[in-house]
Amino acid sequence: MTDFTLEPVADEPLPFDPITHEPVGSSWTEQLQATPSATTIYLEPLAKDISLVSDTPNVPKVHATLNKKVISLDIETTGLNPWEYQILVCSCWDLGVPKADMVTFAGWDEEELCVALFAWIEEQQPDVILAFNAKFECRAFISRAMLYHINAPWIWTCEWHDMMDMLGGGWKNGLTGTQPSGSEENWLKFFFNEVKPYTIDECFEGVREGRLTEFIIRNRTCVQGQGDMYQLLQHVAAPGPYYVTEEKPSAARIDEWQAPGNVLVACEICGAINEQIRGLSDRNCWRCLSALPQATDENIIQEQARTIDYSVVGLTAKEIKAKEKAASEKK
């Protein structure tokens, strides 16, 4: 398998004040782009045949972030207890921008990773931090802020929204019971027919061999999945006046739609679904960061209706056959 290496910073001054941990000079985002560091991601093609096909449907963006800036994020660690694990990867997606603009922080130096990550979040000034089992991320951030003496008031001033709690018991309603909340894998499969590209065992095998590639790809998939679920939740919960134009055109309009704008294309490397501008190829895949193909009439993705499995609804064999026949006649 191709080695994955991170370029270290050699004897260069840090782009932040070591006392206040505030960015020096221009914005942290500009510095990150101008001065590559150990937090910059370099992904190389994997030497194994992988299938990362995404069936994520069009997700309507509603003004339902309640006029708040929402950052979807997820961390990858080497364990479960803060006093034992190390943070290796954290991806962050501002739901107001395309998935291709997701930011990933990864590296072997935990303090450098946390300083860069915390500075980026501080600069974004989010109102909401979204995660799946958000208590894990929150505790990790608090413990690392204390450990490395990083000033991070946003941890306490942001609203923390937990997709696991929302799917398990509504929205801050105090519901309790014995119903399982389900895993992130359950919900990604249910809503989007999406499967995480790597198992945890495969990710740790990569770590043992000195790579973070598998963890990065899995992590970015989790972040986009929970972000899409959050947008779906906001879509169905928002009152009518708050609806806005869909992020991507529906299948009913694709044939008539000729003006430049956002469409859906599949990445030729990993198969992930991406937004792209018709006639241009100026974006990178949100999942594997490879260059996207030019959007043309041939590769623009059409919406597909979900087929119904009548066998799970308690019908007899005769009733199932009648339903399937009726459905086929409607096509």
Side-chain angles (χ1 to χ4, degrees):
M1 185 174 290
T2 304
D3 290 335
F4 174 75
T5 58
L6 293 169
E7 297 294 336
V9 178
D11 299 326
E12 294 182 4
L14 294 175
F16 53 85
D17 187 290
I19 304 299
T20 65
H21 292 287
E22 293 293 327
V24 177
S26 58
S27 74
W28 177 262
T29 302
E30 292 172 349
Q31 292 182 47
L32 203 59
Q33 294 172 346
T35 308
S37 71
T39 59
T40 302
I41 306 304
Y42 297 94
L43 284 180
E44 298 179 1
L46 296 176
K48 63 179 291 189
D49 185 19
I50 57 175
S51 176
L52 303 179
V53 177
S54 172
D55 295 317
T56 303
N58 290 349
V59 177
K61 284 195 174 182
V62 185
H63 210 326
T65 48
L66 309 176
N67 293 319
K68 296 179 179 179
K69 188 180 184 71
V70 181
I71 301 293
S72 173
L73 57 79
D74 182 47
I75 65 171
E76 306 293 350
T77 67
T78 57
L80 299 178
N81 297 318
W83 50 89
E84 296 173 338
Y85 66 54
Q86 177 180 338
I87 299 175
L88 296 174
V89 180
C90 182
S91 294
C92 304
W93 174 28
D94 178 349
L95 299 192
V97 305
K99 294 187 183 83
D101 294 333
M102 187 188 304
V103 176
T104 299
F105 297 86
W108 305 105
D109 186 325
E110 185 183 67
E111 181 174 5
E112 182 184 11
L113 185 153
C114 289
V115 169
L117 170 65
F118 287 15
W120 184 88
I121 296 176
E122 178 76 26
E123 185 174 278
Q124 305 311 305
Q125 297 184 336
D127 300 298
V128 175
I129 293 179
L130 171 70
F132 197 92
N133 190 16
K135 290 180 181 178
F136 187 83
E137 275 73 17
C138 187
R139 185 164 75 158
F141 288 167
I142 291 173
S143 65
R144 269 44 192 178
M146 295 172 67
L147 179 64
Y148 300 122
H149 300 180
I150 305 173
N151 183 247
W154 51 268
I155 298 177
W156 289 269
T157 57
C158 284
E159 298 177 28
W160 285 79
H161 291 187
D162 190 337
M163 276 307 306
M164 184 172 72
D165 282 350
M166 285 183 263
L167 292 167
W171 181 272
K172 297 182 179 178
N173 51 27
L175 291 178
T176 58
T178 58
Q179 293 294 330
S181 58
S183 68
E184 192 173 29
E185 286 85 350
N186 296 147
W187 292 111
L188 287 175
K189 181 69 175 177
F190 176 68
F191 286 124
F192 310 126
N193 196 30
E194 180 85 352
V195 178
K196 292 184 181 181
Y198 291 101
T199 67
I200 288 296
D201 288 341
E202 288 175 319
C203 291
F204 277 115
E205 181 64 26
V207 169
R208 286 190 290 271
E209 295 177 3
R211 290 187 315 277
L212 292 174
T213 312
E214 292 88 344
F215 252 141
I216 291 169
I217 295 177
R218 178 182 170 92
N219 183 254
R220 290 171 72 89
T221 302
C222 295
V223 171
Q224 70 89 20
Q226 67 194 22
D228 281 342
M229 282 190 280
Y230 186 80
Q231 290 178 124
L232 283 177
L233 178 66
Q234 298 288 3
H235 177 69
V236 300
Y242 289 93
Y243 284 97
V244 297
T245 304
E246 287 185 13
E247 181 183 14
K248 307 145 191 168
S250 68
R253 296 196 300 272
I254 285 181
D255 291 339
E256 303 173 358
W257 187 63
Q258 299 297 328
N262 285 352
V263 295
L264 294 180
V265 298
C267 173
E268 295 177 336
I269 303 300
C270 73
I273 305 303
N274 286 263
E275 295 177 49
Q276 178 62 294
I277 305 298
R278 178 186 284 269
L280 298 178
S281 56
D282 60 343
R283 287 194 177 280
N284 294 328
C285 175
W286 64 264
R287 175 181 278 159
C288 69
L289 302 183
S290 61
L292 291 175
Q294 185 180 64
T296 65
D297 290 335
E298 287 72 30
N299 64 10
I300 292 176
I301 294 173
Q302 308 282 328
E303 282 184 305
Q304 296 181 352
R306 179 186 293 185
T307 57
I308 299 175
D309 183 1
Y310 292 107
S311 65
V312 299
V313 295
L315 300 178
T316 64
K318 185 176 180 180
E319 290 171 330
I320 291 174
K321 187 174 182 179
K323 291 284 186 182
E324 291 175 339
K325 180 179 179 181
S328 63
E329 291 175 349
K330 289 182 179 180
K331 294 181 180 179

